[in-house]
Amino acid sequence: MKTQQVLRHHAFGEAGAVLRLEWLPIPEPKAGEVQVRLLVAAINPSDYGRMNGRYGHLPSLPAVAGREGVGVVEALGAGVKGVVCGQRVRFSDAGAWQTFCCLPADALVFVPEEIPTDQAAMAFINPPTAHCLLSQYMDLKAGDWIVQNAGNSAVGLAVIQMAKAMGVRTVSQVRREALVEPLKALGADVVVLEGSGWEASVADLTGQQGLRLALNSVGGASAIAQLKVLEAGGTQVTFGGMTGEAVRFPTRYIIFNDLRMLGFWWDAYCQKAQGGAVDAIMASVFKMFTDGSLRLPIAGKYSFSEYKEALAHHESPRLGKILLTP
Ligand SMILES: NC(=O)c1ccc[n+]([C@@H]2O[C@H](COP(=O)([O-])OP(=O)(O)OC[C@H]3O[C@@H](n4cnc5c(N)ncnc54)[C@H](OP(=O)(O)O)[C@@H]3O)[C@@H](O)[C@H]2O)c1
């Protein structure tokens, strides 16, 4: 029997403690399925949530970890038409850290040829989330200002580049001075340091224009700072909680500035979206990757057998994603 390497966990817990490199049989495609070989997978914070048991939906155990990656079609099951071996497609989102998977042929997401494989591996979660954050909550116009924290995250970098393409201007909160220039080189308008008291001078930074939308994936003091700088009637969308702290709100700002606090989850959006909305978002994301107006940096690339180093790198300060290869 042919076997493959997989990164799997048998219990929920901290990633470094529960994840194991194992050998499992290579799955064969059933009728209507294709077999896909992984090229490159990404490591995302939600992979940790699925491993530690705190994510919005959890796999049954034992579970192959990982949700995002790109692979190549290796074999076709009986009756599959319209798919050719060698085409690149999204790998399984129910276990991306394995060498082979089988997917229904009628649900494949094909990757355009022009997109580099490493970029494609990071295309399916964070860029469409950034797209939704910029398009679903208000009708942003060229010249509007928004604020976001975790400006150096993959979502943050996609927001910067997508906002730039829309003519929307960004204030990005980061935790290290060394990130300021690299973010500006990617199109960030203003980059501020968390905890520096930037809120007091925000009107000078934006030329006295209000901030209409705040994007929060951090929580704690970082999220409260956003609420204090939003213009009256502004909206804060929370889609992550990197500090692990609850998002508290400053009562008087909520009342006197009539602020709205909402949540976003790409997985739920995909479940509910109708009329090809997800395909349209992915087409828009792919177009930006194809024409070069969206690029995500890579901080490191590791083989499955180096997964402990990969996790350690992911958990360190960095600018760019950590990628895994079989
Ligand atoms: N709701 C959704 O549908 C959805 C979809 C995609 C992503 N997300 C969320 O969006 C966020 C970013 O994801 P990503 O893949 O783009 O991230 P990423 O590229 O892995 O980067 C992680 C970011 O989190 C920051 N961070 C880590 N620990 C932190 C802490 N204790 N306090 C403040 N900041 C901290 C990092 O800043 P440093 O470099 O300073 O450590 C970095 O900016 C995550 O919370 C993720 O779960 C949500």
Side-chain angles (χ1 to χ4, degrees):
M1 184 196 304
K2 286 188 186 160
T3 55
Q4 60 157 336
Q5 279 191 320
V6 306
L7 285 165
R8 217 163 57 138
H9 57 110
H10 293 251
F12 294 114
E14 293 315 313
V18 297
L19 199 62
R20 291 187 207 159
L21 185 62
E22 298 179 346
W23 288 92
L24 289 182
I26 295 177
E28 292 300 327
K30 301 189 190 86
E33 288 184 344
V34 302
Q35 184 195 57
V36 182
R37 175 171 56 82
L38 181 70
L39 295 170
V40 185
I43 303 184
N44 288 309
S46 56
D47 300 326
Y48 280 66
R50 266 174 38 117
M51 283 186 272
N52 67 28
R54 291 195 282 269
Y55 199 59
H57 54 70
L58 295 175
S60 46
L61 297 173
V64 176
R67 309 178 63 218
E68 190 178 36
V70 62
V72 62
V73 175
E74 284 283 306
L76 310 180
V80 172
K81 300 238 175 350
V83 185
V84 177
C85 287
Q87 281 182 303
R88 291 181 309 163
V89 295
R90 181 179 185 172
F91 200 76
S92 170
D93 61 356
W97 301 354
Q98 59 185 325
T99 316
F100 289 93
C101 72
C102 289
L103 296 171
D106 59 5
L108 293 174
V109 180
F110 294 95
V111 176
E113 270 178 26
E114 302 85 349
I115 301 178
T117 296
D118 286 354
Q119 294 291 315
M122 305 180 280
F124 305 102
I125 296 178
N126 296 312
T129 295
H131 183 288
C132 288
L133 293 169
L134 289 170
S135 60
Q136 305 282 322
Y137 294 94
M138 61 181 58
D139 185 16
L140 287 170
K141 301 206 166 36
D144 284 344
W145 280 88
I146 65 168
V147 60
Q148 63 165 345
N149 50 28
N152 61 312
S153 65
V155 176
L157 297 172
V159 162
I160 286 169
Q161 294 169 79
M162 288 177 182
K164 190 87 189 164
M166 297 161 70
V168 169
R169 289 174 286 179
T170 48
V171 176
S172 296
Q173 301 157 251
V174 297
R175 299 201 291 174
R176 292 184 301 289
E177 181 79 44
L179 294 166
V180 174
E181 288 312 318
L183 263 59
K184 285 192 172 168
L186 283 169
D189 294 288
V190 171
V191 184
V192 295
L193 274 180
E194 295 278 23
S196 65
W198 63 274
E199 304 93 300
S201 56
V202 74
D204 295 335
L205 298 171
T206 64
Q208 311 303 317
Q209 290 201 50
L211 289 150
R212 298 191 63 201
L213 177 68
L215 306 177
N216 166 43
S217 62
V218 171
S222 173
I224 293 173
Q226 293 186 332
L227 291 167
K228 290 183 175 173
V229 298
L230 269 183
E231 69 178 18
T235 297
Q236 182 186 55
V237 184
T238 291
F239 61 100
M242 293 306 298
T243 60
E245 293 168 28
V247 179
R248 295 164 51 239
F249 60 83
T251 308
R252 49 191 282 267
Y253 285 84
I254 301 288
I255 298 171
F256 299 134
N257 289 346
D258 186 22
L259 301 181
R260 277 133 186 86
M261 296 172 74
L262 305 170
F264 175 79
W265 188 23
W266 171 239
D267 297 31
Y269 181 86
C270 291
Q271 291 279 322
K272 287 187 209 143
Q274 290 178 342
V278 171
D279 291 346
I281 290 169
M282 284 314 302
S284 167
V285 165
F286 284 155
K287 183 170 178 300
M288 289 190 74
F289 274 117
T290 302
D291 68 21
S293 54
L294 177 61
R295 275 286 175 278
L296 294 178
I298 295 158
K301 200 167 171 182
Y302 297 85
S303 65
F304 279 1
S305 55
E306 300 168 314
Y307 75 93
K308 287 184 181 157
E309 290 91 329
L311 294 180
H313 196 168
H314 172 86
E315 292 160 24
S316 330
R318 62 192 153 76
L319 176 63
K321 277 279 159 212
I322 305 301
L323 302 180
L324 286 169
T325 54

